[in-house]
Amino acid sequence: MTDQISDGRLDLLRSFLAVYRAGSITGGARALGLSQPTVTGQIQALEQQWGRQLFQRVPRGVLPTTVADELAARVAGPLDELALVTAPVAASAPSEPVHLGGPAELLALRVMPSLASLVTRSVRLRVTAGLADDLLDGLRQGRYDLVISTVRPRGRVLTATPLTDEEFVLVAAGPVDDLERAPLIAYAEDVPIVRRYWRHVFGRRLTTRPAVVLADLRGVLSMVVAGGGWTVLPRYLCAAELESGALTLLNDPDDPPINTAYLVERTAAPATAHLALVRAALLSAGPAW
């Protein structure tokens, strides 16, 4: 790459970096405010000039080649600095919000309290609750800056850092003589949390069908506390109820099932001061959750 780069070459590199960070042509075009055909043409032109393939086209977007990884590492910093220098000056304008996604229960009980102090430092947040796969797709498309996910993403577009470990516990409002006959309160019809607990702790397949299905673990908790049946929950969600005696721990294995939650971000995404504050606060608080 020469020291002097034409405006046309800069446009190609900006489009390349936008697509690299978004994980798709569509997401890159949206971030730049350009049409998808325009960005596609720019990527093709850069590949022709470079003489190397930068992206592999896949059904859900693009995957960067090792050549693209090297190019992104070289141009991301200079392009971000150039964007800051050439951006219109607006001293009174508020900073852009940090867009964060994650599981509703973890956001409500652990994440938001951990970020409360940042609001007094003028950090603005836009928080979305949802399922891991949907949020990760949104992160690839550039709709979020950070996502907390219990699914570790594959590929080089996203970077995942372990944030916290969820321990699962088997609970009810009181002792249960026969779990197979007592009502099971579950998050989903296929009871994935309970099935995982059964395989890990008891080494056998769960055959009990749920009496109640409610796609909100906080609602499942409320139902069980009220005496509606038994369930398996993340310990952080029901720690207060276990301590107060509102819930009874029905089993206490030496090796309980653990689920790791990750803090996920786009690889080589531009680092803003407020995004760095949110990231640092979460990584600091997460191990204590």
Side-chain angles (χ1 to χ4, degrees):
M1 209 180 304
T2 62
D3 292 335
Q4 300 296 324
I5 301 178
S6 67
D7 289 342
R9 187 68 177 275
L10 279 174
D11 288 340
L12 299 186
L13 291 174
R14 289 189 184 102
S15 291
F16 157 75
L17 190 60
V19 171
Y20 183 90
R21 286 169 167 167
S24 72
I25 301 290
T26 301
R30 184 185 299 114
L32 294 168
L34 299 175
S35 69
Q36 182 174 334
T38 296
V39 174
T40 298
Q42 290 175 328
I43 296 299
Q44 291 172 346
L46 187 60
E47 288 180 326
Q48 290 173 1
Q49 292 182 19
W50 199 258
R52 305 289 292 275
Q53 183 181 9
L54 296 173
F55 297 104
Q56 296 177 351
R57 278 64 176 177
V58 295
R60 300 176 70 180
V62 293
L63 291 177
T65 64
T66 55
V67 176
D69 289 335
E70 181 181 356
L71 180 58
R74 294 175 61 186
V75 305
L79 286 179
D80 288 341
E81 290 181 14
L82 182 60
L84 288 174
V85 170
T86 58
V89 177
S92 62
S95 61
E96 286 296 314
V98 176
H99 294 264
L100 172 67
E105 300 84 5
L106 189 61
L107 288 173
L109 295 184
R110 291 293 182 264
V111 174
M112 301 314 296
S114 299
L115 299 179
S117 64
L118 297 184
V119 178
T120 64
R121 300 172 65 179
S122 301
V123 173
R124 301 168 67 214
L125 299 170
R126 297 295 180 267
V127 184
T128 302
L131 299 177
D133 288 341
D134 295 337
L135 293 173
L136 292 175
D137 283 343
L139 181 61
R140 294 185 184 96
Q141 299 294 327
R143 294 197 298 273
Y144 308 112
D145 300 303
L146 295 168
V147 163
I148 298 172
S149 171
T150 54
V151 175
R152 185 166 195 165
R154 297 181 179 181
R156 297 187 295 270
V157 174
L158 302 179
T159 299
T161 304
L163 177 64
T164 190
D165 287 332
E166 299 176 336
E167 175 190 343
F168 290 116
V169 291
L170 178 62
V171 294
V176 178
D177 295 331
D178 189 346
L179 287 173
E180 293 186 359
R181 292 182 178 274
L184 165 59
I185 316 300
Y187 175 82
E189 194 68 45
D190 58 347
V191 292
I193 297 175
V194 187
R195 282 192 293 108
R196 179 177 177 183
Y197 187 97
W198 240 245
R199 288 196 307 268
H200 185 93
V201 175
F202 301 124
R204 57 188 174 88
R205 181 172 174 268
L206 177 73
T207 58
T208 305
R209 298 183 64 181
V212 176
V213 174
L214 176 59
D216 187 322
L217 288 177
R218 291 166 296 183
V220 172
L221 170 62
S222 297
M223 185 76 171
V224 174
V225 168
W230 61 274
T231 195
V232 173
L233 293 170
R235 182 181 285 274
Y236 80 83
L237 186 63
C238 58
E241 288 77 10
L242 286 170
E243 184 176 353
S244 69
L247 284 182
T248 298
L249 191 65
L250 299 180
N251 190 35
D252 191 14
D254 293 332
D255 179 28
I258 296 294
N259 196 35
T260 299
Y262 299 90
L263 185 62
V264 189
E265 55 197 313
R266 292 189 303 281
T267 304
T272 66
H274 286 183
L275 176 58
L277 284 173
V278 172
R279 185 181 188 277
L282 291 174
L283 291 176
S284 175
W289 293 344

